[in-house]
Amino acid sequence: MEGMTQSGTRAQIDSLRARMGEAIIGQREVIERLLIGLLANGNLLVEGLPGLAKTRAIKALARNLESDFSRIQFTPDLLPSDVTGTEVYYQGEGGGEFRFEAGPIFANLVLADEINRAPAKVQAALLEAMEERQVTVAGTTHKMEPLFMVMATQNPIEQEGTYPLPEAQMDRFLMHVNITYPPVEDEVEVIRLVRGEEIAAQGGAGKGAADAPLPIPQEAVFAARREIAALRVAPEMERYIADLVNATRVPAEFGDDLKRWIEVGASPRASLALDKCGRTHAWLAGRDYVDPEDIRAVVPDVLRHRLGLSYEAQGEGVSPDAVVAEIVRQVALP
């Protein structure tokens, strides 16, 4: 795969998107955000009600990509070593020795299910691996695989017995994706899809494992990342990104509403994330340049978890998305 051309890379990624679309009906935006996170080499925080295909989405990605998949169910009694791994003592004929037993974090694609149900120490262990791409146990550093992405999920309605992620840790997620109910027409297709999978599982007509296409190789992802890194970004687009993020820090300059709503603005990580996600969005659309629509398409996912809203905004029921929409409306296009 070393000689993969640009058109060949795009065809591979388009094939991956199409295969995921066959397994996930009505969540096209989730598929696109998963691909953006994968190609931008970032991690995603996904929030949605139970049953909205959060787990199914990343499983579909893992099944169609040459990768190892791991799922961690976060619970209040989980320990950091349950995530990262630990040193285990082995007794042999020549004496004993400690060996590192890798935890479930050592996979290409990791689903951290209901991350806010585990205590802060466990959350910190996961987020350290996400940020540093390594785990240190007993003084020894263990590197993660070159292809590594965490998709952490949260349930927005059950908050009893949870440990909300601090703002500083939320900032480490490239994007915060909200999943909503699919349209009724798509839900009909979901019913038919699952019914067909049940028939196939029971030995009826359907696509078997032998008929499934080969997984997309990891090199396609790395090649796409190289192309995205080389994508042209005009100075005007760079300034537009910086202006959007700066508006969260000086909201008084952009209207009385933003002044009342925003208490803490976004960090420089937001600017870097907008740049990465904007370039990836443009590449997925088949362009070799970034335009304002690429930035606007990803700005809600990049900023919604990086804004510190005031008590006044929370009391008025103003959502982060409403604040982001007002920022986009107030900041002038280049």
Side-chain angles (χ1 to χ4, degrees):
M1 302 304 295
E2 292 181 3
M4 184 178 292
T5 63
Q6 183 170 352
S7 60
T9 301
R10 191 177 303 282
Q12 294 272 33
I13 300 301
D14 286 344
S15 174
L16 178 59
R17 174 161 47 182
R19 293 187 201 180
M20 293 177 66
E22 294 174 1
I24 310 164
I25 307 297
Q27 299 292 1
R28 298 173 187 85
E29 185 172 318
V30 177
I31 295 173
E32 184 179 72
R33 295 305 184 261
L34 266 176
L35 288 177
I36 289 176
L38 178 70
L39 298 180
N41 198 18
N43 304 288
L44 305 183
L45 178 63
V46 182
E47 190 165 320
L49 296 170
L52 293 184
K54 298 187 295 294
T55 301
R56 186 181 178 93
I58 194 166
K59 281 186 174 181
L61 175 60
R63 184 171 59 252
N64 291 289
L65 181 66
E66 185 184 68
S67 61
D68 294 324
F69 171 72
S70 177
R71 175 177 178 172
I72 309 170
Q73 184 66 50
F74 278 63
T75 57
D77 61 344
L78 202 67
L79 298 174
S81 58
D82 295 330
V83 174
T84 62
T86 187
E87 293 279 325
V88 177
Y89 184 75
Y90 285 87
Q91 181 67 49
E93 294 181 0
E97 64 174 343
F98 282 96
R99 299 178 194 167
F100 177 68
E101 294 287 344
I105 193 67
F106 286 89
N108 300 123
L109 303 175
V110 180
L111 173 62
D113 215 0
E114 297 192 278
I115 186 175
N116 57 334
R117 292 204 175 278
K121 281 186 177 182
V122 181
Q123 295 175 2
L126 174 70
L127 293 167
E128 180 184 4
M130 288 165 42
E131 183 79 5
E132 305 297 333
R133 302 300 172 98
Q134 64 184 31
V135 168
T136 302
V137 176
T140 303
T141 298
H142 306 274
K143 297 286 187 180
M144 317 299 295
E145 292 290 329
L147 180 66
F148 176 70
M149 184 178 76
V150 172
M151 178 176 140
T153 70
Q154 285 191 152
N155 183 340
I157 59 172
E158 294 181 10
Q159 300 303 322
E160 185 176 351
T162 62
Y163 304 82
L165 289 170
E167 285 78 2
Q169 294 185 358
M170 293 273 282
D171 195 27
R172 298 188 182 187
F173 287 97
L174 183 73
M175 292 190 292
H176 179 188
V177 182
N178 278 342
I179 300 183
T180 57
Y181 291 117
V184 174
E185 295 79 7
D186 287 338
E187 194 147 355
V188 172
E189 292 300 318
V190 171
I191 294 171
R192 294 170 180 166
L193 174 65
V194 174
R195 184 191 300 138
E197 290 175 346
E198 290 175 353
I199 293 172
Q202 294 171 9
K207 184 183 289 186
D211 302 321
L214 292 174
I216 303 298
Q218 290 187 16
E219 177 55 32
V221 175
F222 300 139
R225 287 178 179 176
R226 290 192 291 269
E227 293 177 14
I228 291 166
L231 210 67
R232 183 169 60 89
V233 182
E236 293 82 4
M237 289 298 97
E238 295 172 339
R239 182 56 190 258
Y240 185 50
I241 290 171
D243 285 343
L244 286 169
V245 176
N246 187 59
T248 70
R249 302 167 187 162
V250 288
E253 298 180 12
F254 294 88
D256 292 336
D257 284 338
L258 289 179
K259 178 182 177 181
R260 291 187 301 108
W261 291 341
I262 300 178
E263 188 170 291
V264 181
S267 76
R269 280 198 183 108
S271 301
L272 299 175
L274 271 179
D275 175 52
K276 285 183 180 181
C277 295
R279 282 186 281 119
T280 306
H281 187 275
W283 187 88
L284 286 171
R287 284 181 276 102
D288 62 354
Y289 62 91
V290 177
D291 68 17
E293 288 311 308
D294 295 312
I295 306 301
R296 290 186 165 193
V298 298
V299 70
D301 303 283
V302 169
L303 289 185
R304 67 164 56 101
H305 60 301
R306 291 184 162 96
L307 297 178
L309 301 189
S310 65
Y311 287 114
E312 189 173 356
Q314 296 175 42
E316 294 176 7
V318 178
S319 68
D321 284 5
V323 177
V324 173
E326 181 64 15
I327 291 171
V328 171
R329 193 175 71 83
Q330 292 290 345
V331 175
L333 284 168

